[in-house]
Amino acid sequence: MDDLSNRQHSLFTSTISGDVDGEPTILGQNLTKTATTQSFAWIVGSLWLGRPLKSKKTEAVIDQALRLLVDHGPYVSGAVNTMISARAGKDLVSSLVTGLLTIGPRFGGAVNGAAKIWFESVTNQLSPADVVESFAKRKEYIQGIGHKKYRIAAPDPRVPVLLNLTGKIPHPHLDFALAVEKITTGKKPNLILNVDGALAAILLDLLVHEEKLERDEIQALIDAEFFNAIFVLSRSVGFIGHYLDQKRLGEGLFRLPDDQVMTKG
């Protein structure tokens, strides 16, 4: 018999990957074989859920979201930070991290915040009107609602692309989000369902009805910020692009023009 007193506890536990006879594995399968037979989106979704994706619809939405969110121009905070760092002579990883650190409730990180709102509201059978009113009373933004650039007359073109991929699955979370949008756009035309809010709702419906996750499993994903992960992964590509672009252009150190800063004292 083994001497239990001589056994050592493992320092880490991994349920998603390993190494068998020198061959890397993911989810118990040879990585090389999986990488040549499955899409990147399938690998991403499967690794993040800790088990193979069941639905082609989920795979399609992840794939499309990764492509749609890859960049939104040099104007947004993450791209600006990345470019400023690149022009200050910083390396790739440092510049990428400065961009990633801007992701939060007001930029990109609203996917997870919106998922929390849609999930809790549908689970607790709250009315859209009551939810909107509760946020208004607290003077808080509803994550997933609103955009500086888009409005009813000029909606976010990325949203219908995602909506068209879900097919005829039940969509209570999306229905709730759209009902909230109907109320908020009645107050201001730019308080539309943005791409963060739409993606959150669509993913929730897919996880429930296609991937067959239980409520506690979805809550765990929300707590772990699973829904922000797609934005983080996708936009990292764009930030790296902006870093390389600034290096390629040979741009020098950036300094704000005096007339762009109001000073006091």
Side-chain angles (χ1 to χ4, degrees), residues 81-118:
N81 265 22
T82 301
M83 292 189 295
I84 289 174
S85 297
R87 292 176 62 165
K90 300 297 290 184
D91 60 280
L92 168 62
V93 174
S94 298
S95 300
L96 172 60
V97 169
T98 63
L100 291 175
L101 288 175
T102 66
I103 295 175
R106 296 184 180 181
F107 172 63
V111 185
N112 208 78
K116 185 176 187 295
I117 296 169
W118 309 151

Side-chain angles (χ1 to χ4, degrees), residues 207-245:
L207 292 175
V208 172
H209 299 287
E210 293 290 299
E211 301 303 322
K212 309 299 181 185
L213 267 61
E214 301 293 336
R215 287 182 178 179
D216 60 333
E217 293 178 300
I218 294 177
Q219 185 61 59
L221 290 177
I222 293 172
D223 294 341
E225 296 190 69
F226 163 85
F227 295 85
N228 280 348
I230 293 179
F231 183 90
V232 172
L233 175 59
S234 178
R235 194 53 62 90
S236 291
V237 177
F239 290 165
I240 291 171
H242 285 293
Y243 166 85
L244 294 172
D245 189 42

Side-chain angles (χ1 to χ4, degrees), residues 99-244:
L100 291 175
L101 288 175
T102 66
I103 295 175
R106 296 184 180 181
F107 172 63
V111 185
N112 208 78
K116 185 176 187 295
I117 296 169
W118 309 151
F119 182 67
E120 291 180 354
S121 299
V122 171
T123 298
N124 296 316
Q125 298 183 327
L126 303 179
S127 75
D130 287 342
V131 170
V132 172
E133 182 62 25
S134 68
F135 274 85
K137 285 182 177 180
R138 298 194 303 270
K139 296 182 179 180
E140 294 180 5
Y141 292 105
I142 302 175
Q143 294 188 54
I145 294 290
H147 202 282
K148 286 184 174 294
K149 180 179 179 181
Y150 301 118
R151 51 192 33 81
I152 295 176
D156 189 334
R158 298 168 295 181
V159 171
V161 174
L162 291 173
L163 297 182
N164 289 336
L165 293 173
T166 57
K168 296 182 179 180
I169 67 166
H171 39 78
H173 298 94
L174 179 58
D175 287 343
F176 188 90
L178 291 171
V180 168
E181 178 190 48
K182 187 174 182 179
I183 298 170
T184 55
T185 52
K187 301 176 182 292
K188 290 183 67 177
N190 71 318
L191 294 181
I192 60 170
L193 179 66
N194 59 38
V195 71
D196 295 339
L199 179 59
I202 292 168
L203 284 173
L204 283 169
D205 289 330
L206 288 168
L207 292 175
V208 172
H209 299 287
E210 293 290 299
E211 301 303 322
K212 309 299 181 185
L213 267 61
E214 301 293 336
R215 287 182 178 179
D216 60 333
E217 293 178 300
I218 294 177
Q219 185 61 59
L221 290 177
I222 293 172
D223 294 341
E225 296 190 69
F226 163 85
F227 295 85
N228 280 348
I230 293 179
F231 183 90
V232 172
L233 175 59
S234 178
R235 194 53 62 90
S236 291
V237 177
F239 290 165
I240 291 171
H242 285 293
Y243 166 85
L244 294 172

